[in-house]
Amino acid sequence: MVTIRRRQSRRALARLQGAPGPELEVLDVLEAAGEPVTVSAVAEALAVDQPRASRLVAAAVTAGLVRREADQADGRRALLALTDAGRAAAGRAHEARQAAFAQAMAGWTDAERAEFARLLTRFVESLPG
């Protein structure tokens, strides 16, 4: 499991497609949220502290992948949203992941893929948290 985690980390997959990892982590969070979120939400989703999340967000903003928007409900807060470049980078990340998985299972039969999916789903659903 440790080997799988290391090889399939966001950063490892980002390196495969030539994108920096920290920015990709923020893109994953924003894409999953489906709406603008705060730096605190990024920190929680990535299980990092606030200063680390702020650095990750700053890198994504500097790279032009994320933009800060004023929160209309609370002027003291900034919300984070994907830019067009951020959405494109997230799309490339999905394609890279799908290609990596397809390559890893190239010699598998349909039945083997289905059984793997069934067992992996069962495993993930059994994890605490």
Side-chain angles (χ1 to χ4, degrees):
M1 294 306 290
V2 171
T3 301
I4 291 171
R5 174 70 178 121
R6 285 183 181 147
R7 287 187 182 175
Q8 295 303 307
S9 72
R10 290 178 179 105
R11 287 189 180 130
L13 291 169
R15 280 192 300 273
L16 288 175
Q17 66 175 6
E23 289 85 349
L24 187 59
E25 292 178 4
V26 174
L27 299 184
D28 282 346
V29 172
L30 295 178
E31 189 176 43
E35 62 186 11
V37 299
T38 63
V39 173
S40 295
V42 171
E44 183 178 332
L46 296 178
V48 299
D49 61 23
Q50 187 79 21
R52 172 78 176 140
S54 292
R55 288 190 298 275
L56 292 171
V57 167
V61 169
T62 299
L65 304 172
V66 172
R67 71 177 176 277
R68 295 179 193 270
E69 301 174 343
D71 183 345
Q72 298 303 314
D74 183 348
R76 299 168 294 172
R77 291 189 333 169
L79 298 175
L80 308 169
L82 291 173
T83 63
D84 289 341
R87 280 188 287 284
R92 288 190 302 276
H94 291 303
E95 290 171 4
R97 288 176 184 138
Q98 290 169 349
F101 297 148
Q103 181 181 1
M105 295 189 288
W108 294 26
T109 66
D110 288 343
E112 290 170 327
R113 289 174 191 239
E115 180 66 2
F116 178 73
R118 184 186 71 75
L119 291 171
L120 185 59
T121 299
R122 181 176 167 195
F123 174 78
V124 170
E125 288 173 351
S126 297
L127 290 173

